[in-house]
Amino acid sequence: MSRPTPNPTLTLKDIAREAGVSLATVDRVLHQRPGVRPGTVKRVRDAIERHDFRPLAAAADLARGRTIRFAFVMRVGSNLFMQQILSHLSDMKGWLSARRIVVEAITTDIFNPETLARTLDSLHGRFDGVAVVALDHPGVRTAIDDLIDSGTHVVTLVSDVPSSRRLHYVGIENIAAGRTAGTLVGRLIGPRKGKVAIVAGSRGLRDHAERIFGFGQVLSSEFPQLEVLAPAEGRDEDNLSEDLTARLLGAHLDLIGLYNVGAGTQGVAKAVIDSGRASEIVFVGHDLTNFTRRLLLRGVMDAVIVQDPGHEARAAVRVLLALVRREPILLEQEKIRIDIIMRDNMP
Amino acid sequence: MSRPTPNPTLTLKDIAREAGVSLATVDRVLHQRPGVRPGTVKRVRDAIERHDFRPLAAAADLARGRTIRFAFVMRVGSNLFMQQILSHLSDMKGWLSARRIVVEAITTDIFNPETLARTLDSLHGRFDGVAVVALDHPGVRTAIDDLIDSGTHVVTLVSDVPSSRRLHYVGIENIAAGRTAGTLVGRLIGPRKGKVAIVAGSRGLRDHAERIFGFGQVLSSEFPQLEVLAPAEGRDEDNLSEDLTARLLGAHLDLIGLYNVGAGTQGVAKAVIDSGRASEIVFVGHDLTNFTRRLLLRGVMDAVIVQDPGHEARAAVRVLLALVRREPILLEQEKIRIDIIMRDNMP
DNA sequence: CTGTTAGCGCCTTCAT
DNA sequence: ATGAAGGCGCTAACAG
């Protein structure tokens, strides 16, 4: 059974001739449009498969020749990670405009499901695709589903709403990320006994909640000598996070592990450094920024869990594009990995 | 100074009209072809920049309409990592053939610079681009440079030849990878004292040598309580690696750390398991395969350093394609990261 | 149900 | 040094 070597210079016309039909009919079969007799469909399909034929992407693009519009909806504020995503999007400008793709960033600082839902509602009919950093809330879920019903392709980004009908989630599995943090903290602490603290943004955020869950899972099952304290909620703000961390450090002199689940890393780190106990505390957090880079180099942080913002920006665009063009999504390529960054493998 | 919003529906013709010249002249300027007066060039350039205009990629592709040929040259044999690269290449078949790109894999088991050089010599004029897993040897360097002189674009893959004129290296920095392994072994061992062994394929391989160097650097400077033994060379073979490891384990009862630099992981692991000392030995190696996955899950291995073979395959193709089309390379996208994989963040 | 045909925007050859 | 014009392979509107 030898695979026919695909002759790379075949065209639709050749297939048409071989199947004894016209160009238009082949096109119909290719795009599973109605109005072709089953027998004809089969003949065309056979001819296509016989040569493993693929229509030339460039020609299809050119002929369709429509400008494609995408929106990225997210709350940004001072969140460095979100800013990085936006900055990588604008790095793609050249690539995008050579394909007549327009990406609009719709940002807000408001952290409120109702507002997000209303924003999504306002997008009906205006975009071919929408990537949204969602809050997992019934109102948001409904807004996503409505948007999809209006004919817009929707993917979630960074934070998922699994109960919605979004076509894809571009981001990491947060339970696994939390477990990874747990393993790192546990293993790097080694045989010592003591307490471990968690500082999160809010347990209302699905991604934070999942990370906390995964972290606790690993610590309780595999590192019973470590006592995990109840998570503090620092709302991803530096000042508040610093206060909370300082308080934790003061109250627990046997604190030897610290997991910062969200942003606010700068505040947490300041408290750790000021306590003079940086070298005895294993400190793990998320996202690579100028701050966390420096903290890794100084040995204040021991590891950072990373989801590559550049990869996420590009993956979101590519997935939306594939959906618009009804092309297959390359799952392996678009999957976002949970990266562990330590001092020596910083990119 | 407001950036003009690029009107996404502009075409070459619009630029031509605005500059008061014909289509062909704009095209000449766009591709920096000769035969245009400097003044004209400037007028066209200005018009292009005024609108931040980019020619539509699809139209350019279609018009050029040539089949592009790439070769991947590597020694494969039983090396699972190389097999993974090939397998990811064939996953791209659909994508490639929709762009009339033909990728040919030229594999050999022979591990010999002369043979590799001769293979490269035989490629002159047959391909638009070549990705080669090179050996760092003067003969290979010359062969690469000759190939480039013959008009073929060349990138190195996985293992670099920095002294050649290759246009890009798709792979990780191996010194940093070795340092990462060193940090992991040192940190995961914790306060214990003892010996650390290294099993490599061959110190003649540049990537292995660099990893060993980075590993030693970190251990000697930051973990002085650990004594690093001289590297054993297992030629990436399972049986030999197993013997060597067993011997090391027998000779050093205080062996508590193990770094497997190349392949042959299965053999190394078998020796560790058979010794009954798996749980007390911190074992770090490279590349994620079915074997290393299982070893991580069973706790025999503690961490695996990974360079994503799928990413490498795609990056090599994209870089070669960009070179052929004289498009810019998206360095940020093509950079291969050093990933640390532990039990909980396995993809 | 099926076929014909006019573009899509750029590249390239051939004139001028 | 510059311009005119015919494709590249596919899509979509229109005819039959």
Side-chain angles (χ1 to χ4, degrees):
Chain A
M1 210 196 75
S2 79
R3 283 289 199 71
T5 310
N7 178 336
T9 55
L10 276 188
T11 75
L12 262 196
K13 209 189 281 180
D14 300 308
I15 301 296
R17 190 168 13 78
E18 193 161 318
V21 297
S22 77
L23 261 187
T25 300
V26 179
D27 191 73
R28 286 180 185 109
V29 173
L30 214 46
H31 299 90
Q32 22 218 10
R33 272 189 291 258
V36 186
R37 231 177 319 169
T40 315
V41 170
K42 181 159 179 5
R43 264 161 49 228
V44 174
R45 284 247 164 86
D46 285 351
I48 290 177
E49 284 182 13
R50 197 164 330 139
H51 300 284
D52 197 12
F53 171 79
R54 318 256 165 183
L56 186 69
D61 267 23
L62 178 58
R64 284 194 269 261
R66 199 173 47 83
T67 294
I68 293 175
R69 288 169 197 287
F70 294 147
F72 274 62
V73 181
M74 48 180 115
R75 81 199 139 85
V76 176
S78 61
N79 189 320
L80 289 178
F81 179 71
M82 297 297 170
Q83 290 174 14
Q84 288 173 343
I85 291 186
L86 290 181
S87 134
H88 283 108
L89 272 181
S90 69
D91 290 348
M92 298 174 70
K93 259 185 195 156
W95 188 91
L96 291 169
S97 75
R99 285 157 186 77
R100 301 301 181 262
I101 300 171
V102 178
V103 175
E104 190 170 324
I106 298 178
T107 63
T108 157
D109 289 356
I110 300 158
F111 173 32
N112 176 335
E114 306 304 335
T115 314
L116 176 55
R118 242 175 296 124
T119 305
L120 291 175
D121 287 343
S122 74
L123 265 34
H124 284 222
R126 291 173 47 205
F127 294 96
D128 300 285
V130 170
V132 53
V133 179
L135 300 165
D136 193 8
H137 179 277
V140 173
R141 174 173 62 63
T142 309
I144 289 177
D145 287 347
D146 287 350
L147 191 52
I148 290 169
D149 287 334
S150 83
T152 307
H153 299 283
V154 177
V155 302
T156 48
L157 185 62
V158 180
S159 181
D160 195 15
V161 186
S163 61
S164 71
R165 297 194 338 264
R166 90 280 185 282
L167 295 156
H168 193 83
Y169 163 56
V170 177
I172 59 175
E173 289 174 41
N174 283 299
I175 293 182
R179 292 183 56 93
T180 305
T183 304
L184 282 166
V185 167
R187 295 288 318 253
L188 292 178
I189 283 179
R192 288 185 289 157
K193 277 185 172 205
K195 299 211 179 86
V196 173
I198 300 175
V199 179
S202 151
R203 265 175 299 185
L205 291 169
R206 185 186 185 88
D207 46 351
H208 287 204
E210 289 184 344
R211 289 175 187 178
I212 293 170
F213 176 77
F215 185 82
Q217 239 185 6
V218 167
L219 281 214
S220 64
S221 71
E222 297 184 29
F223 303 96
Q225 79 279 18
L226 299 174
E227 182 190 337
V228 181
L229 302 173
E233 303 193 37
R235 282 184 299 189
D236 282 357
E237 291 164 17
D238 287 330
N239 289 339
L240 182 53
S241 300
E242 179 179 349
D243 287 353
L244 290 171
T245 308
R247 210 162 302 164
L248 284 165
L249 285 163
H252 305 280
L253 294 175
D254 57 345
L255 192 73
I256 53 178
L258 182 54
Y259 176 34
N260 184 38
V261 178
T265 313
Q266 224 184 333
V268 174
K270 183 152 189 311
V272 171
I273 293 168
D274 289 351
S275 76
R277 285 148 65 190
S279 65
E280 69 208 47
I281 291 178
V282 171
F283 176 16
V284 171
H286 282 262
D287 300 334
L288 202 57
T289 64
N290 282 338
F291 299 119
T292 53
R293 287 189 116 84
R294 208 165 296 143
L295 293 169
L296 281 172
L297 287 172
R298 289 177 55 186
V300 175
M301 292 191 80
D302 298 90
V304 173
I305 315 279
V306 170
Q307 48 184 327
D308 182 350
H311 190 191
E312 293 194 325
R314 292 184 293 270
V317 169
R318 282 191 301 247
V319 168
L320 287 175
L321 194 55
L323 290 169
V324 168
R325 295 183 178 158
R326 293 159 200 290
E327 285 170 1
I329 295 169
L330 303 177
L331 286 178
E332 211 269 334
Q333 172 171 207
E334 311 310 354
K335 166 146 196 173
I336 310 296
R337 283 169 312 181
I338 299 169
D339 294 323
I340 298 171
I341 304 291
M342 297 175 76
R343 192 200 45 195
D344 296 296
N345 68 328
M346 276 196 272
Chain B
M1 211 194 75
S2 78
R3 283 286 200 72
T5 311
N7 179 336
T9 56
L10 276 187
T11 76
L12 262 195
K13 207 189 282 180
D14 300 309
I15 302 296
R17 190 169 12 77
E18 194 161 319
V21 296
S22 78
L23 263 186
T25 299
V26 179
D27 190 74
R28 287 180 185 108
V29 173
L30 214 46
H31 300 89
Q32 23 219 7
R33 273 189 291 258
V36 186
R37 232 175 322 176
T40 316
V41 171
K42 181 162 177 5
R43 264 161 51 225
V44 174
R45 285 246 165 85
D46 286 350
I48 289 176
E49 284 180 14
R50 196 162 6 196
H51 300 284
D52 196 14
F53 170 80
R54 318 256 165 182
L56 186 67
D61 268 22
L62 178 57
R64 282 194 270 261
R66 200 172 47 84
T67 295
I68 293 174
R69 286 168 199 289
F70 294 147
F72 274 63
V73 181
M74 48 179 112
R75 81 199 140 85
V76 175
S78 61
N79 188 320
L80 290 177
F81 180 71
M82 297 297 170
Q83 290 175 15
Q84 287 173 344
I85 291 186
L86 291 181
S87 134
H88 283 108
L89 272 180
S90 68
D91 289 349
M92 297 175 70
K93 260 185 194 157
W95 188 91
L96 292 169
S97 74
R99 286 157 186 77
R100 301 301 179 262
I101 299 170
V102 178
V103 175
E104 190 170 323
I106 297 178
T107 64
T108 158
D109 290 356
I110 300 157
F111 172 33
N112 176 335
E114 305 305 335
T115 315
L116 176 55
R118 243 174 296 125
T119 305
L120 290 174
D121 287 343
S122 74
L123 266 35
H124 285 224
R126 292 173 46 206
F127 294 96
D128 300 286
V130 171
V132 55
V133 179
L135 300 165
D136 194 9
H137 178 276
V140 174
R141 174 173 62 62
T142 309
I144 289 178
D145 287 347
D146 287 349
L147 192 52
I148 291 170
D149 287 333
S150 84
T152 306
H153 300 282
V154 177
V155 302
T156 48
L157 185 62
V158 179
S159 181
D160 195 14
V161 186
S163 61
S164 72
R165 297 196 337 264
R166 89 280 185 283
L167 296 157
H168 194 83
Y169 163 56
V170 177
I172 59 175
E173 288 174 41
N174 283 299
I175 293 181
R179 292 183 56 92
T180 305
T183 304
L184 281 166
V185 167
R187 294 288 318 252
L188 293 178
I189 283 179
R192 287 185 288 158
K193 276 188 174 201
K195 300 209 179 89
V196 173
I198 300 175
V199 179
S202 152
R203 265 176 299 186
L205 290 169
R206 184 187 185 89
D207 46 349
H208 288 203
E210 289 184 345
R211 289 174 187 177
I212 292 170
F213 176 76
F215 186 82
Q217 238 185 8
V218 168
L219 281 214
S220 64
S221 71
E222 297 182 30
F223 302 96
Q225 79 279 17
L226 299 175
E227 182 189 338
V228 181
L229 303 173
E233 303 193 36
R235 282 183 299 185
D236 281 359
E237 290 164 17
D238 287 329
N239 290 337
L240 183 52
S241 301
E242 179 179 348
D243 287 353
L244 291 171
T245 309
R247 209 162 303 163
L248 285 164
L249 285 163
H252 306 280
L253 294 175
D254 56 345
L255 192 72
I256 53 177
L258 183 53
Y259 176 34
N260 184 38
V261 178
T265 313
Q266 225 185 331
V268 174
K270 184 154 188 309
V272 171
I273 294 168
D274 289 351
S275 77
R277 285 148 66 189
S279 64
E280 68 207 48
I281 292 179
V282 171
F283 176 15
V284 171
H286 281 263
D287 300 334
L288 202 57
T289 63
N290 283 337
F291 299 118
T292 54
R293 287 190 117 83
R294 208 166 296 143
L295 293 168
L296 280 172
L297 288 171
R298 288 178 56 188
V300 175
M301 293 191 79
D302 297 273
V304 173
I305 315 279
V306 170
Q307 47 184 329
D308 182 348
H311 190 192
E312 293 195 326
R314 291 185 292 269
V317 169
R318 281 191 302 247
V319 168
L320 288 175
L321 194 55
L323 290 170
V324 169
R325 295 184 177 157
R326 293 157 200 289
E327 285 169 0
I329 296 170
L330 303 177
L331 286 178
E332 210 269 332
Q333 171 170 210
E334 311 309 354
K335 166 145 195 172
I336 310 296
R337 283 169 312 180
I338 300 168
D339 294 324
I340 299 171
I341 303 292
M342 296 174 76
R343 193 200 46 197
D344 296 296
N345 68 328
M346 274 195 272

